């Protein structure tokens, strides 16, 4: 898996590696999520040494949002802004001054780090992610984090569609698998969109 060359034209996107997904006590614990963290940290370390831009995303919800089951959506309450569950997982290396892109802030739905969807109008709007990548002249992105079948998948698919050379490190992600096989299907979807699975 050490076949990524990190450099100044590459960005490492660390998706939603937060307590609610990565910690066994988290509200939307992704089975084995904490097991992805050593591999995520290894990429962060390698990227950091090479001067790669490291960007973190955070799922960041209000207390009520149509994203939550209690409000008509599908998910248990998770990553409520300011809560323990929304914090980065303890063992995650968080690089000082690295950009953090928060999504879902205004109750927006959707999974990609690049966009949020207004739950009422369905309208999509961009997050800061693409602007940050452009500002740094990024051509290649490496995607790691949680969850493989939701935010990692959508982020990697969007990155590939936007013509970034996109690689997902499969060791550094884990799937929710609401339905058995969702993780595998996500890998296929990402490949189909043009992303490489390493
Ligand atoms: C995610 C489900 C709900 C994710 C976020 O980060 O993959 N999954 N909200
Ligand atoms: Zn969420």
């Amino acid at each position: 898996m050490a076949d990524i060359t990190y450099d100044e034209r590459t960005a490492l996107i660390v998706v939603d590696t937060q307590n609610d997904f990565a910690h066994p006590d988290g509200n939307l614990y992704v089975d084995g999520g904490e097991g992805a963290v050593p591999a995520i940290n290894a990429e962060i370390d390698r990227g950091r040494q090479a001067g790669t831009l490291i960007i973190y995303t955070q799922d960041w919800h209000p207390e009520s949002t149509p994203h939550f089951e209690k409000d008509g959506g599908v998910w248990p309450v998770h990553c409520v802004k300011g809560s323990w569950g929304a914090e980065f997982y303890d063992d995650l290396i968080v690089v000082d001054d690295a950009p953090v892109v928060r999504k879902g802030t205004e109750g927006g739905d959707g999974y990609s780090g690049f966009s949020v969807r207004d739950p009422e109008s369905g309208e999509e709007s961009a997050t800061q992610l693409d602007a940050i990548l452009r500002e740094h002249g990024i051509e290649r992105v490496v995607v790691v984090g949680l969850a493989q079948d939701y935010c990692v998948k959508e982020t990697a698919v969007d990155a590939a569609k936007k013509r970034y050379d996109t690689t997902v490190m499969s060791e550094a992600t884990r799937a929710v698998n609401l339905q058995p096989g969702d993780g595998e299907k996500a890998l296929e979807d990402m490949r189909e969109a043009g992303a490489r699975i390493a």
Side-chain angles (χ1 to χ4, degrees), residues 21 28 59 61 67-68 75 78-79 111:
F21 299 117
L28 185 40
D59 210 28
H61 298 300
H67 183 71
F68 293 159
W75 302 106
H78 63 276
C79 296
Y111 303 108

Side-chain angles (χ1 to χ4, degrees), residues 149-176:
D149 38 358
Y150 290 93
C151 289
V152 167
K153 176 180 101 172
E154 297 299 332
T155 301
V157 165
D158 277 354
K161 280 189 188 155
K162 290 178 189 296
R163 306 249 175 265
Y164 294 103
D165 180 312
T166 303
T167 304
V168 177
M169 306 301 281
S170 63
E171 260 304 296
T173 182
R174 293 290 185 280
V176 177

Side-chain angles (χ1 to χ4, degrees), residues 15-35 37 57-61 67 75-76 78-79 84-87 89 103 111 145-147 150-151 174-176:
V15 175
D16 298 6
T17 309
Q18 296 161 267
N19 287 324
D20 269 340
F21 299 117
H23 195 289
D25 294 336
N27 285 343
L28 185 40
Y29 175 56
V30 176
D31 202 20
E34 77 280 28
V37 175
T57 69
Q58 278 182 316
D59 210 28
W60 201 256
H61 298 300
H67 183 71
W75 302 106
H78 63 276
C79 296
W84 171 83
E87 287 170 20
Y89 182 68
K103 61 202 165 54
Y111 303 108
L146 303 170
Y150 290 93
C151 289
R174 293 290 185 280
V176 177

